[in-house]
Amino acid sequence: MIRWIIKLLLNGAALLLISDWFQSIVVANFKVAVFASLVLGVVNTMIRPILTFFTLPLQLLTMGLFWFVINAVTFALTAYFIDGFEVGPWPDNIGTIIIAAALMSLFGWLIDLVVGRPKER
């Protein structure tokens, strides 16, 4: 449970860092960032598999590059659900949202790698 809380707090900090890097992505404060990372985890768990299933032909045609678009959709959907987390106008900032979502995935992977699961004895 402690590892999960640490991962959640670090993901919130990563989201704040990403919002500092991109002008169109706005996160009000750390509390909103932590809540947004929690909702992003839920969206990735519940909605991402459905999106991946229905876009499988596009995934195959683009050799997996459509994954970035799916990431951006889940990122923007999370921002839609949360007050205080804005990604700017959707079609205009698609490139920024794709890069920010990919960075959030990278940070999440690094956080999971560092905090990770305890080693078996």
Side-chain angles (χ1 to χ4, degrees):
M1 183 71 166
I2 296 294
R3 289 183 193 278
W4 182 79
I5 293 171
I6 291 170
K7 286 180 186 181
L8 185 64
L9 293 173
L10 288 174
N11 277 316
L15 186 59
L16 271 179
L17 182 66
I18 289 170
S19 73
D20 284 343
W21 289 345
F22 297 103
Q23 186 175 346
S24 64
I25 297 174
V26 178
V27 179
N29 53 37
F30 185 68
K31 182 180 172 183
V32 171
V34 170
F35 185 62
S37 62
L38 175 67
V39 172
L40 183 61
V42 171
V43 167
N44 281 338
T45 302
M46 304 291 249
I47 297 173
R48 174 183 252 156
I50 296 167
L51 287 174
T52 303
F53 176 75
F54 284 116
T55 60
L56 189 60
L58 284 173
Q59 290 272 359
L60 294 173
L61 284 173
T62 62
M63 293 182 279
L65 291 177
F66 198 74
W67 170 82
F68 289 106
V69 175
I70 292 172
N71 245 3
V73 167
T74 58
F75 195 74
L77 190 61
T78 301
Y80 176 77
F81 288 138
I82 298 175
D83 291 332
F85 178 33
E86 303 292 328
V87 293
W90 167 248
D92 299 334
N93 290 332
I94 188 73
T96 303
I97 296 169
I98 287 174
I99 293 169
L103 283 172
M104 192 65 196
S105 292
L106 177 67
F107 284 140
W109 176 75
L110 288 173
I111 290 167
D112 195 46
L113 187 68
V114 171
V115 176
R117 297 178 187 245
K119 295 185 179 189
E120 300 292 324
R121 292 184 182 192

